[in-house]
Amino acid sequence: MAEDTAAANIEAPPENGAAMAKRRKLLRLLAIAVVSIAVIWGLWYVLTQAGRVSTDNAYVGADSATVTALVSGPVKAVRVSGTQMVKKGDVLVILDETDQRIAVADAEAALRQARQHYGQSSANADAARARVSARGAEIAQARARLRDADALVAKARAELARRESIAGTGAVSAEELTAARTTLASASAARDLAAAGIASAEATRGSASGDLGAAEAVVRGTTIDTAPDVAAAQARLDKARLDLERTVIRAPVDGVVTNRQVQVGQRIAAGAPIMIIVPVDTAYVDANFKESQFKRIRIGQPVELTSDYYGGDVVYRGKVIGIAGGTGAAFSLIPAQNATGNWVKVVQRLPVRIALDPKDLRAHPLRVGLSMEATIDTRGND
């Protein structure tokens, strides 16, 4: 039996040995190729991928602007449609301005009336000032009359005294003596009347001074433009003109019109939202990274992003600008609570705000809510 086996080995064709040698050579080459690929991949990973953290739980966001009507009124015209791109200042909606034009006319009339009243008050003050001056002149005249009356009283008293001194000699008749006494009494009465005239003139001047004070209080320290009534009327006019301007509703920012809720003929109230403008040129990305990935994530690190919207050929460049203060679960309406002790740890995710390069956004605009894949290069921490 052993001889047959040996004979079979001796008689084995040489082609089998060559095939086995070739197979071993191929296996060695394959092993070398596998090792080489592994080494190359390791070098590539160390040089390009080590220190990078990625997530596909990322979404496009933007600080959208809600357009609201600042005055109420019926809609006269709607100049934009949903999905339309608009620039800041473009006309979006025009309201019927009839009520606002009437309000402007009424405010203009009120302003003219306030100016007229101020002019009247100023004229009244001037008139009161003139009356005070006139009362002062009357007082001076009354005092002059009093001095004249005093002089007449003194003269009449002297005449009476002279006649009384010679009445006993018979040189003065009784009639002359009576006339002298009458003259003195008349002069005394005239003096009393002059004194009363002074008091009356002083009282009149006091009343005029009060009127002057009241008139001056209205205009004191003001001009026709700074008077309270005029200023209030001017403010009402400015408000009416502003309301008239607000009947034309303009875009507050550049962006895309979204969620338009207004139609021609509809009456809208002040403060009612009518549409939303999404500023796609300033879009950002909120990427939700696992808590285990935050060991090396820092603000300012570069980020590469791709979107299913354009495919992997379009790569956006960005930068980490902020890290949220808590997970979404922590700020949910009903935060998760475990009071039973039957707890399974779930890896939490924390939002990272990423600013996109404006040039990339202009070349390939994004829309709010699109999914993104984000990769942060953390190697700058080394």
Side-chain angles (χ1 to χ4, degrees):
M1 187 68 176
E3 292 177 355
D4 293 341
T5 302
N9 290 336
I10 292 172
E11 294 175 356
E15 289 82 0
N16 291 341
M20 293 181 63
K22 184 177 181 180
R23 187 180 297 112
R24 285 194 295 270
K25 183 178 180 181
L26 289 175
L27 289 174
R28 285 196 298 271
L29 291 175
L30 180 61
I32 293 172
V34 170
V35 172
S36 299
I37 291 173
V39 171
I40 293 173
W41 182 88
L43 290 174
W44 172 82
Y45 181 83
V46 170
L47 295 176
T48 63
Q49 301 301 312
R52 293 160 64 93
V53 291
S54 301
T55 183
D56 59 0
N57 189 347
Y59 304 94
V60 178
D63 296 325
S64 58
T66 300
V67 180
T68 59
L70 299 180
V71 294
S72 61
V75 177
K76 184 177 180 181
V78 180
R79 296 289 181 84
V80 296
S81 60
T83 72
Q84 181 176 336
M85 179 70 73
V86 296
K87 296 291 185 181
K88 181 178 180 180
D90 288 351
V91 176
L92 305 176
V93 177
I94 299 176
L95 304 180
D96 187 283
E97 72 279 8
T98 303
D99 293 341
Q100 283 71 26
R101 290 191 183 280
I102 294 174
V104 169
D106 184 63
E108 288 175 342
L111 177 60
R112 288 193 295 269
Q113 186 177 34
R115 287 179 174 273
Q116 186 180 50
H117 287 169
Y118 182 86
Q120 291 175 347
S121 298
S122 181
N124 290 339
D126 293 338
R129 197 174 293 110
R131 287 194 297 271
V132 170
S133 299
R135 298 295 86 78
E138 290 177 358
I139 291 173
Q141 292 176 358
R143 287 174 177 171
R145 286 194 295 271
L146 179 59
R147 290 192 297 270
D148 187 47
D150 286 338
L152 292 176
V153 168
K155 180 180 178 181
R157 185 176 289 112
E159 290 291 334
L160 177 61
R162 183 174 62 79
R163 283 176 172 74
E164 286 179 342
S165 64
I166 61 176
T169 62
V172 178
S173 65
E175 292 180 357
E176 290 180 352
L177 189 60
T178 300
R181 290 193 179 107
T182 301
T183 300
L184 176 60
S186 178
S188 297
R191 183 186 63 184
D192 294 341
L193 183 60
I198 293 175
S200 177
E202 288 178 344
T204 303
R205 186 178 66 175
S207 177
S209 297
D211 294 341
L212 175 61
E216 285 184 337
V218 177
V219 297
R220 184 182 297 117
T222 63
T223 64
I224 193 169
D225 293 322
T226 60
D229 290 345
V230 176
Q234 182 65 56
R236 287 193 293 271
L237 177 58
D238 294 341
K239 174 64 167 56
R241 288 173 175 169
L242 181 60
D243 288 344
L244 179 59
E245 292 179 3
R246 286 173 171 172
T247 58
V248 178
I249 303 175
R250 300 179 181 274
V253 295
D254 298 349
V256 178
V257 175
T258 307
N259 195 26
R260 201 194 81 173
Q261 305 177 30
V262 60
Q263 302 294 334
V264 175
Q266 175 185 352
R267 183 173 183 85
I268 57 178
I274 58 177
M275 66 184 67
I276 295 174
I277 296 180
V278 179
V280 293
D281 289 343
T282 58
Y284 54 80
V285 172
D286 283 330
N288 301 296
F289 284 90
K290 297 178 181 178
E291 55 187 319
S292 57
Q293 295 175 304
F294 276 86
K295 181 179 180 181
R296 301 176 63 83
I297 294 178
R298 302 290 184 272
I299 293 175
Q301 290 173 338
V303 187
E304 291 183 355
L305 306 101
T306 58
S307 171
D308 293 341
Y309 191 71
Y310 292 105
D313 293 337
V314 177
V315 178
Y316 293 87
R317 292 162 296 175
K319 181 173 66 174
V320 176
I321 60 173
I323 300 174
T327 65
F331 295 109
S332 63
L333 183 62
I334 304 178
Q337 297 290 335
N338 180 45
T340 64
N342 183 17
W343 179 70
V344 177
K345 180 178 180 180
V346 177
V347 176
Q348 300 296 314
R349 291 181 179 268
L350 194 65
V352 174
R353 179 66 56 86
I354 300 170
L356 300 175
D357 190 329
K359 295 180 181 179
D360 294 341
L361 279 174
R362 284 193 293 269
H364 300 91
L366 293 170
R367 297 296 185 266
V368 173
L370 293 179
S371 299
M372 302 287 287
E373 292 185 10
T375 301
I376 301 177
D377 188 350
T378 65
R379 290 175 294 179
N381 293 335
D382 293 337

